[in-house]
mmCIF file of all heavy atoms in Angstrom:
data_model
loop_
_atom_site.group_PDB
_atom_site.id
_atom_site.type_symbol
_atom_site.label_atom_id
_atom_site.label_comp_id
_atom_site.label_asym_id
_atom_site.label_seq_id
_atom_site.Cartn_x
_atom_site.Cartn_y
_atom_site.Cartn_z
ATOM 1 N N LYS A 92 10.429 3.242 8.100
ATOM 2 C CA LYS A 92 9.495 4.262 7.639
ATOM 3 C C LYS A 92 8.263 4.270 8.478
ATOM 4 O O LYS A 92 7.822 3.204 8.928
ATOM 5 C CB LYS A 92 9.139 4.034 6.176
ATOM 6 C CG LYS A 92 10.333 4.185 5.217
ATOM 7 C CD LYS A 92 9.879 3.987 3.788
ATOM 8 C CE LYS A 92 10.988 4.407 2.814
ATOM 9 N NZ LYS A 92 12.123 3.527 2.849
ATOM 10 N N PHE A 93 7.692 5.454 8.641
ATOM 11 C CA PHE A 93 6.433 5.544 9.432
ATOM 12 C C PHE A 93 5.375 6.193 8.574
ATOM 13 O O PHE A 93 5.579 7.273 8.063
ATOM 14 C CB PHE A 93 6.604 6.249 10.758
ATOM 15 C CG PHE A 93 5.536 5.960 11.730
ATOM 16 C CD1 PHE A 93 5.658 4.870 12.561
ATOM 17 C CD2 PHE A 93 4.337 6.692 11.728
ATOM 18 C CE1 PHE A 93 4.578 4.570 13.441
ATOM 19 C CE2 PHE A 93 3.274 6.355 12.552
ATOM 20 C CZ PHE A 93 3.453 5.274 13.425
ATOM 21 N N PRO A 94 4.183 5.568 8.410
ATOM 22 C CA PRO A 94 3.114 6.073 7.635
ATOM 23 C C PRO A 94 2.411 7.325 8.232
ATOM 24 O O PRO A 94 2.162 7.295 9.485
ATOM 25 C CB PRO A 94 2.153 4.962 7.423
ATOM 26 C CG PRO A 94 2.281 4.114 8.639
ATOM 27 C CD PRO A 94 3.783 4.282 9.058
ATOM 28 N N ILE A 95 2.122 8.318 7.421
ATOM 29 C CA ILE A 95 1.471 9.497 7.962
ATOM 30 C C ILE A 95 0.182 9.729 7.136
ATOM 31 O O ILE A 95 0.256 9.954 5.886
ATOM 32 C CB ILE A 95 2.376 10.696 7.802
ATOM 33 C CG1 ILE A 95 3.645 10.536 8.619
ATOM 34 C CG2 ILE A 95 1.618 11.987 8.209
ATOM 35 C CD1 ILE A 95 4.696 11.583 8.375
ATOM 36 N N GLY A 96 -0.976 9.607 7.805
ATOM 37 C CA GLY A 96 -2.259 9.880 7.111
ATOM 38 C C GLY A 96 -2.269 11.264 6.515
ATOM 39 O O GLY A 96 -1.957 12.207 7.234
ATOM 40 N N HIS A 97 -2.672 11.346 5.258
ATOM 41 C CA HIS A 97 -2.534 12.574 4.563
ATOM 42 C C HIS A 97 -3.766 13.483 4.666
ATOM 43 O O HIS A 97 -4.438 13.820 3.706
ATOM 44 C CB HIS A 97 -2.261 12.359 3.051
ATOM 45 C CG HIS A 97 -1.707 13.571 2.375
ATOM 46 N ND1 HIS A 97 -2.521 14.423 1.710
ATOM 47 C CD2 HIS A 97 -0.464 14.065 2.341
ATOM 48 C CE1 HIS A 97 -1.822 15.392 1.230
ATOM 49 N NE2 HIS A 97 -0.583 15.251 1.583
ATOM 50 N N PHE A 98 -4.172 13.812 5.926
ATOM 51 C CA PHE A 98 -5.301 14.692 6.144
ATOM 52 C C PHE A 98 -5.210 15.219 7.583
ATOM 53 O O PHE A 98 -4.447 14.581 8.402
ATOM 54 C CB PHE A 98 -6.605 14.004 5.939
ATOM 55 C CG PHE A 98 -6.993 13.031 7.007
ATOM 56 C CD1 PHE A 98 -7.906 13.340 7.983
ATOM 57 C CD2 PHE A 98 -6.406 11.771 7.092
ATOM 58 C CE1 PHE A 98 -8.238 12.466 8.984
ATOM 59 C CE2 PHE A 98 -6.703 10.876 8.077
ATOM 60 C CZ PHE A 98 -7.637 11.199 9.019
ATOM 61 N N VAL A 99 -5.955 16.225 7.889
ATOM 62 C CA VAL A 99 -6.030 16.675 9.250
ATOM 63 C C VAL A 99 -7.422 16.542 9.740
ATOM 64 O O VAL A 99 -8.395 16.882 8.971
ATOM 65 C CB VAL A 99 -5.575 18.186 9.391
ATOM 66 C CG1 VAL A 99 -5.741 18.684 10.778
ATOM 67 C CG2 VAL A 99 -4.090 18.309 8.942
ATOM 68 N N ARG A 100 -7.667 16.096 10.927
ATOM 69 C CA ARG A 100 -8.999 15.913 11.470
ATOM 70 C C ARG A 100 -9.802 17.138 11.368
ATOM 71 O O ARG A 100 -9.332 18.253 11.340
ATOM 72 C CB ARG A 100 -8.872 15.503 12.971
ATOM 73 C CG ARG A 100 -8.334 16.638 13.856
ATOM 74 C CD ARG A 100 -7.909 16.159 15.203
ATOM 75 N NE ARG A 100 -6.740 15.257 15.160
ATOM 76 C CZ ARG A 100 -6.198 14.678 16.225
ATOM 77 N NH1 ARG A 100 -6.767 14.870 17.428
ATOM 78 N NH2 ARG A 100 -5.179 13.895 16.091
ATOM 79 N N ASP A 101 -11.145 16.994 11.363
ATOM 80 C CA ASP A 101 -12.055 18.075 11.386
ATOM 81 C C ASP A 101 -11.929 18.848 12.688
ATOM 82 O O ASP A 101 -11.626 18.219 13.740
ATOM 83 C CB ASP A 101 -13.515 17.534 11.296
ATOM 84 C CG ASP A 101 -14.490 18.653 10.985
ATOM 85 O OD1 ASP A 101 -14.832 19.354 11.952
ATOM 86 O OD2 ASP A 101 -14.874 18.847 9.849
ATOM 87 N N ARG A 102 -12.127 20.136 12.663
ATOM 88 C CA ARG A 102 -12.004 20.989 13.865
ATOM 89 C C ARG A 102 -12.898 20.506 15.010
ATOM 90 O O ARG A 102 -12.609 20.658 16.200
ATOM 91 C CB ARG A 102 -12.302 22.451 13.550
ATOM 92 C CG ARG A 102 -11.086 23.334 13.829
ATOM 93 C CD ARG A 102 -11.481 24.783 14.068
ATOM 94 N NE ARG A 102 -11.073 25.275 15.328
ATOM 95 C CZ ARG A 102 -11.843 25.297 16.389
ATOM 96 N NH1 ARG A 102 -13.079 24.908 16.300
ATOM 97 N NH2 ARG A 102 -11.369 25.719 17.547
ATOM 98 N N ARG A 103 -14.026 19.877 14.623
ATOM 99 C CA ARG A 103 -14.942 19.368 15.662
ATOM 100 C C ARG A 103 -14.316 18.199 16.406
ATOM 101 O O ARG A 103 -14.772 17.835 17.495
ATOM 102 C CB ARG A 103 -16.257 18.916 15.019
ATOM 103 C CG ARG A 103 -17.147 20.092 14.604
ATOM 104 C CD ARG A 103 -18.281 19.642 13.766
ATOM 105 N NE ARG A 103 -17.826 18.978 12.537
ATOM 106 C CZ ARG A 103 -18.588 18.573 11.506
ATOM 107 N NH1 ARG A 103 -19.892 18.707 11.594
ATOM 108 N NH2 ARG A 103 -18.060 17.984 10.463
ATOM 109 N N ASP A 104 -13.260 17.564 15.886
ATOM 110 C CA ASP A 104 -12.641 16.440 16.540
ATOM 111 C C ASP A 104 -11.301 16.859 17.079
ATOM 112 O O ASP A 104 -10.360 16.097 17.078
ATOM 113 C CB ASP A 104 -12.438 15.306 15.559
ATOM 114 C CG ASP A 104 -13.723 14.826 14.939
ATOM 115 O OD1 ASP A 104 -14.753 14.850 15.689
ATOM 116 O OD2 ASP A 104 -13.761 14.454 13.767
ATOM 117 N N LEU A 105 -11.197 18.133 17.582
ATOM 118 C CA LEU A 105 -9.949 18.676 18.009
ATOM 119 C C LEU A 105 -9.262 17.712 19.046
ATOM 120 O O LEU A 105 -8.057 17.529 19.002
ATOM 121 C CB LEU A 105 -10.172 19.999 18.704
ATOM 122 C CG LEU A 105 -9.135 21.084 18.502
ATOM 123 C CD1 LEU A 105 -8.746 21.312 17.031
ATOM 124 C CD2 LEU A 105 -9.612 22.413 19.092
ATOM 125 N N ASN A 106 -10.076 17.149 19.971
ATOM 126 C CA ASN A 106 -9.471 16.326 21.061
ATOM 127 C C ASN A 106 -8.996 14.984 20.656
ATOM 128 O O ASN A 106 -8.070 14.508 21.209
ATOM 129 C CB ASN A 106 -10.529 16.221 22.143
ATOM 130 C CG ASN A 106 -10.476 17.403 23.103
ATOM 131 O OD1 ASN A 106 -9.383 17.928 23.358
ATOM 132 N ND2 ASN A 106 -11.616 17.857 23.521
ATOM 133 N N TYR A 107 -9.708 14.366 19.720
ATOM 134 C CA TYR A 107 -9.343 13.004 19.378
ATOM 135 C C TYR A 107 -9.935 12.557 18.067
ATOM 136 O O TYR A 107 -11.090 12.895 17.830
ATOM 137 C CB TYR A 107 -9.816 12.002 20.454
ATOM 138 C CG TYR A 107 -9.518 10.572 20.171
ATOM 139 C CD1 TYR A 107 -8.228 10.117 20.205
ATOM 140 C CD2 TYR A 107 -10.552 9.672 19.778
ATOM 141 C CE1 TYR A 107 -7.881 8.784 19.888
ATOM 142 C CE2 TYR A 107 -10.235 8.325 19.478
ATOM 143 C CZ TYR A 107 -8.935 7.851 19.529
ATOM 144 O OH TYR A 107 -8.608 6.584 19.226
ATOM 145 N N THR A 108 -9.207 11.823 17.317
ATOM 146 C CA THR A 108 -9.800 11.169 16.128
ATOM 147 C C THR A 108 -9.292 9.747 16.037
ATOM 148 O O THR A 108 -8.085 9.513 16.152
ATOM 149 C CB THR A 108 -9.411 11.919 14.818
ATOM 150 O OG1 THR A 108 -9.780 11.113 13.709
ATOM 151 C CG2 THR A 108 -7.963 12.151 14.698
ATOM 152 N N PRO A 109 -10.213 8.791 15.847
ATOM 153 C CA PRO A 109 -9.732 7.392 15.744
ATOM 154 C C PRO A 109 -9.053 7.169 14.397
ATOM 155 O O PRO A 109 -8.268 6.139 14.255
ATOM 156 C CB PRO A 109 -11.076 6.592 15.793
ATOM 157 C CG PRO A 109 -12.130 7.517 15.506
ATOM 158 C CD PRO A 109 -11.695 8.918 15.812
ATOM 159 N N ALA A 110 -9.215 7.981 13.369
ATOM 160 C CA ALA A 110 -8.474 7.812 12.121
ATOM 161 C C ALA A 110 -7.146 8.552 12.181
ATOM 162 O O ALA A 110 -7.188 9.767 12.385
ATOM 163 C CB ALA A 110 -9.309 8.348 10.942
ATOM 164 N N PRO A 111 -6.045 7.875 12.026
ATOM 165 C CA PRO A 111 -4.755 8.519 12.158
ATOM 166 C C PRO A 111 -4.564 9.644 11.135
ATOM 167 O O PRO A 111 -4.607 9.381 9.916
ATOM 168 C CB PRO A 111 -3.747 7.427 11.961
ATOM 169 C CG PRO A 111 -4.495 6.148 11.897
ATOM 170 C CD PRO A 111 -5.945 6.511 11.642
#
Side-chain angles (χ1 to χ4, degrees):
K92 293 184 169 67
F93 199 88
I95 299 171
H97 196 266
F98 73 101
V99 176
R100 67 193 67 183
D101 191 280
R102 241 202 121 263
R103 286 170 298 186
D104 301 325
L105 215 52
N106 274 323
Y107 177 71
T108 169

